Structure formats: C-alpha cells, structure tokens
C-alpha cells in the first residue's frame, strides 16, 4: 500500500467522519494519492530520514521494513517497477537490470552512503537519472573509527583482552604484547580526501613525525591542511609505518593494495583499510600478514561482506576485522538518512541536490 503523509491525514479524517465525505471528496483523495511520485526505500533507514520523507507531503513511499536483511533481489526488481525515485543503501546493486526493471519513470537514485561503487554510473547517466550520495556528514565518524582501528591493531588490543580473559595473563613481561607506537612515526594516506585529512588531524596530536600521501595527482589544498607530502606509491609503501587506505573503489583502484605494495612495506608496518574491501587483494594481504612481511592489518571492509567466518584472515592474530561500521554512530547514520531523503526530494523537484554526483 502506498500512502503519503498528506493522504494518510485525509484518510484518518475520512475514517472518523465517513458520512460527511462526498463522492467528489473521495475521488479527490484518490487522485491526490495516485499522482504523488512513488518512492521505494530499500531498507528501514534511521528515523530522521524517514520523518523527512513522511512529512514532506511530496511523495508516497514504500520501504523494505527490515534493517537485518537486505531486500531480496527478486523482490527489489518487482518493487521498483514504475517508481519515480529510489532511496538505497550500499548493499543494493543499482545496475542495468534494476534500472530496466524500474522503467522510464525513474528520475532519482539517492544512496545513503558516501561510496557509490554499487551504482552503475554509466547506466544511470545513459538514462538521465540524477544521483545523490552522502559525503561530509560521515567524515568525523569514519575518521574516529579509523583511529580506533589503527590503535587497536598496532597496540594489539584484541589479543590483549583475549589473553586477559582466558588465563594468558601471567606475570608482567618485558616484551609481551608489544606493538608499535604513533609517536615519531610516518603515516601514509592512500587517497587524500576529506576523510584522509580528518584522520590525519586526529593522529597529529599523537606526535606523528610526518604525513605522506599518494593520489592520482597532488592535492595541495588538502595536503596543506595537514602538512602532508605527496609521494609516489612506491615511496608510500616504503616509508609508511602506518598506511591508511582512504580511496574510493574504482576500476583503477581495484586491488591496488597487492603483493607488489605489501612487498615494499616495512615488516613493522600496520595496514588499515576503512574504504572498500575491493581495493585490497585479500590473498596477498593474507600472505603478507602470515609471513610477517607486514606487522598487522585492521580492516573495516572486506570482500565479500559479511566475510565468512571460515575465511583464513580470521585465523590471524595480527589481523583485526570489523563488520563495516566506520560511519556507525547514531548521529551520523541519522544525518546520512536525512541527507539521502533531502537529496531525493530535491532531485524529484528538479532542484540541485545538497550532495549530488555529476555524471
Ligand atoms: O561505507 C560506507 C559508505 O559508503 O557510506
């Protein structure tokens, strides 16, 4: 059933005063309901975003009412038929098949994510569909989590709590559970954007000696904010004591972190990835960790997600794996849902989105 907020209010009025409604009025409500743009929301998104859609009075929407399981593909292909706009999350592949299933009414796709590797941009462009996404509002949360993951990995916190809980804690020992510290270190950032800058700003007070970065080209405006030096990829690998991956997943960055990169890193280095699992060749990472080519890895993202519990990376003590939670704070997830809802409404009105992609 599709109800806009306004239509619902009218219906409630009808429900309490049924005899007072004329046939014309009933027809008016029905017409009003049927002319509002139809929106499909692929997940039970946080309340702030839902409220914006509900109270806009501009759309009628239906949602996949679960946060625990994604909408099955078959159901999604059915539900999108004839919709005017789609609000999705990163688990839904928005490709030619889905866009064909939606049909020519689809004008807007708004994703509640900063990453957009789940969207076939070429297909969206071909069809003239506008695309919204949610950068900026998650920068603080992602940077915070990246720092937490970096410290957890470098100071071996998961191993330490495990030892404390399971009887491994004997006497105080001189080299037991030693890790690597940020003071006097070189931190490398692969892909310098807003998030990379925010990570560096948070790490600087730990007395980092030097920030270096690699990107497709130097980014002097951003680099200046954190006093970071542009270096080629080889140098990034060689010099970094901590290497944080912050680049988007594109055909160019797919598995850019591979044997070649790991083989140039120091065996005391820590590798951190909070961007997308696809930028890493996981077999190569496993080998690098297993053989001691690098000291440790902290991953918030993997391929696939969820990573099967039988995956070899889970057997390594020097690999900390989180279930893709970098932006998971209540404030940020609500802000992301609000931005996604507002992008969608603006897109439907033909106005500039707050954060839209130029295709
Ligand atoms: O990974 C999370 C996002 O892209 O927002």
């Amino acid at each position: 059933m599709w109800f806009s907020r306004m239509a619902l209010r009218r219906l409630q009025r009808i429900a309490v005063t049924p005899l007072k409604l004329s046939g014309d009025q009933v027809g008016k409500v029905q017409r009003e309901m049927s002319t509002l743009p139809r929106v499909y929301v692929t997940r039970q998104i946080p309340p702030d975003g839902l409220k914006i859609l509900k109270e806009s009075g501009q759309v009628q929407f239906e949602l996949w009412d679960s946060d625990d399981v994604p909408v099955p593909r078959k159901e999604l292909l059915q539900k999108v038929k004839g919709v005017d706009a789609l609000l999705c999350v990163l688990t839904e592949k928005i490709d030619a098949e889905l866009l064909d299933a939606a049909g020519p009414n689809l004008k807007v796709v708004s994703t509640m994510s900063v990453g957009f590797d789940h969207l076939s941009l070429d297909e969206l462009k071909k069809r003239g569909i506008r695309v919204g996404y949610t950068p900026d509002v998650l920068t603080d949360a992602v940077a915070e989590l990246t720092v937490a993951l970096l410290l957890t990995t470098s100071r071996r916190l998961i191993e330490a709590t495990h030892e404390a809980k399971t009887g491994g804690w004997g006497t105080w020992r001189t080299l037991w559970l030693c890790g690597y510290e940020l003071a006097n270190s070189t931190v490398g950032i692969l892909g310098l954007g807003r998030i990379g800058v925010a990570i560096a700003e948070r790490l600087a007070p730990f007395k980092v000696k030097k920030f270096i970065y690699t990107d497709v080209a130097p980014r002097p405006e951003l680099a200046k904010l954190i006093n970071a030096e542009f270096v080629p990829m080889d140098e990034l690998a060689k010099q970094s004591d901590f290497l944080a991956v912050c680049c988007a997943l594109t055909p160019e960055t797919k598995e850019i972190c591979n044997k070649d990169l790991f083989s140039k890193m120091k065996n005391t280095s820590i590798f951190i990835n909070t961007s997308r699992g696809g930028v890493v060749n996981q077999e190569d990472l496993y080998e690098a960790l297993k053989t001691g080519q690098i000291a440790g890895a902290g991953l918030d993202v993997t391929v696939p997600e969820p990573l099967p519990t039988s995956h070899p990376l889970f057997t390594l003590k020097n690999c900390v794996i989180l279930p893709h939670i970098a932006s998971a704070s209540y404030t940020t997830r609500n802000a992301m849902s609000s931005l996604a809802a507002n992008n969608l409404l603006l897109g439907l009105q033909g106005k500039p989105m707050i954060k839209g992609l130029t295709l």
Side-chain angles (χ1 to χ4, degrees):
M1 271 299 203
W2 298 79
F3 291 121
S4 73
R5 184 80 171 176
M6 212 190 299
L8 268 174
R9 268 191 230 117
R10 276 176 183 270
L11 277 176
Q12 276 158 359
R13 261 184 267 139
I14 296 168
V16 291
T17 57
L19 294 175
K20 290 192 187 140
L21 259 196
S22 68
D24 278 359
Q25 283 170 311
V26 171
K28 196 167 170 225
V29 171
Q30 280 167 344
R31 274 196 304 282
E32 183 185 290
M33 280 168 61
S34 64
T35 55
L36 284 175
R38 287 174 60 207
V39 176
Y40 188 67
V41 182
T42 68
R43 192 65 72 92
Q44 188 189 69
I45 58 169
D48 288 8
L50 275 184
K51 190 161 180 262
I52 288 168
L53 288 183
K54 278 184 193 155
E55 293 183 355
S56 71
Q58 291 172 37
V59 290
Q60 47 179 327
F61 71 92
E62 188 179 13
L63 88 162
W64 173 249
D65 203 2
S66 166
D67 194 22
D68 296 335
V69 273
V71 52
R73 180 77 178 178
K74 205 165 152 213
E75 170 132 11
L76 179 62
L77 293 176
Q78 280 299 321
K79 291 291 185 186
V80 296
K81 275 192 190 1
V83 296
D84 297 271
L86 190 60
L87 197 159
C88 66
V89 296
L90 52 80
T91 46
E92 276 71 63
K93 249 197 166 353
I94 309 300
D95 54 9
E97 181 193 35
L98 183 131
L99 298 174
D100 286 345
N105 280 354
L106 187 64
K107 293 172 240 355
V108 176
V109 169
S110 175
T111 181
M112 190 189 127
S113 62
V114 65
F116 43 83
D117 46 288
H118 55 300
L119 311 178
S120 298
L121 298 184
D122 287 350
E123 296 294 335
L124 287 154
K125 183 174 178 177
K126 218 157 65 186
R127 293 162 170 82
I129 296 170
R130 302 182 63 196
V131 178
Y133 72 136
T134 61
D136 298 338
V137 292
L138 47 57
T139 300
D140 288 335
V142 173
E144 215 173 271
L145 187 284
T146 306
V147 172
L149 179 57
L150 185 150
L151 290 168
T152 300
T153 309
S154 62
R155 298 302 300 271
R156 303 172 61 181
L157 301 188
I158 305 295
E159 279 179 80
T161 55
H162 178 76
E163 292 293 331
K165 257 200 296 204
T166 57
W169 186 1
T171 183
W172 184 88
R173 284 173 262 175
T174 58
L175 283 175
W176 188 50
L177 287 172
C178 281
Y180 298 94
E181 63 190 55
L182 277 161
N184 269 317
S185 69
T186 296
V187 172
I189 297 165
L190 178 50
L192 187 67
R194 301 164 290 253
I195 293 176
V197 167
I199 293 168
E201 283 170 346
R202 284 158 177 77
L203 291 180
F206 285 88
K207 300 189 179 172
V208 168
K209 185 175 68 193
K210 190 173 165 193
F211 288 104
I212 55 179
Y213 75 101
T214 291
D215 211 312
V216 279
R219 307 197 66 180
E221 299 276 288
L222 288 175
K224 167 166 96 194
L225 299 172
I226 50 167
N227 198 18
E229 181 192 337
F230 178 77
V231 294
M233 186 81 162
D234 274 11
E235 281 304 311
L236 190 84
K238 282 185 201 156
Q239 290 187 36
S240 298
D241 296 303
F242 298 88
L243 202 165
V245 182
C246 302
C247 60
L249 174 61
T250 64
E252 292 72 39
T253 61
K254 189 165 187 306
E255 299 196 4
I256 197 174
C257 303
N258 52 29
K259 196 177 174 142
D260 185 46
L261 177 107
F262 298 130
S263 68
K264 291 175 186 134
M265 287 174 71
K266 306 177 201 181
N267 55 23
T268 51
S269 293
I270 301 289
F271 176 83
I272 300 295
N273 185 13
T274 49
S275 68
R276 284 290 184 268
V279 301
V280 177
N281 179 309
Q282 283 176 179
E283 284 74 40
D284 291 354
L285 176 62
Y286 173 81
E287 278 309 309
L289 289 166
K290 178 93 182 152
T291 59
Q293 175 63 54
I294 64 172
L299 312 174
D300 183 48
V301 284
T302 58
V303 177
E305 292 182 3
L307 191 67
T309 51
S310 59
H311 194 281
L313 282 172
F314 278 120
T315 64
L316 301 174
K317 280 187 176 171
N318 56 350
C319 188
V320 176
I321 300 175
L322 301 178
H324 202 150
I325 54 162
S327 64
S329 77
Y330 293 110
T331 307
T332 290
R333 288 286 168 85
N334 267 299
M336 289 167 73
S337 76
S338 298
L339 181 51
N342 281 322
N343 279 339
L344 181 142
L345 294 173
L346 288 165
L348 280 175
Q349 290 164 21
K351 295 185 181 156
M353 292 179 178
I354 302 167
K355 294 289 171 186
L357 283 174
T358 310
L359 299 182

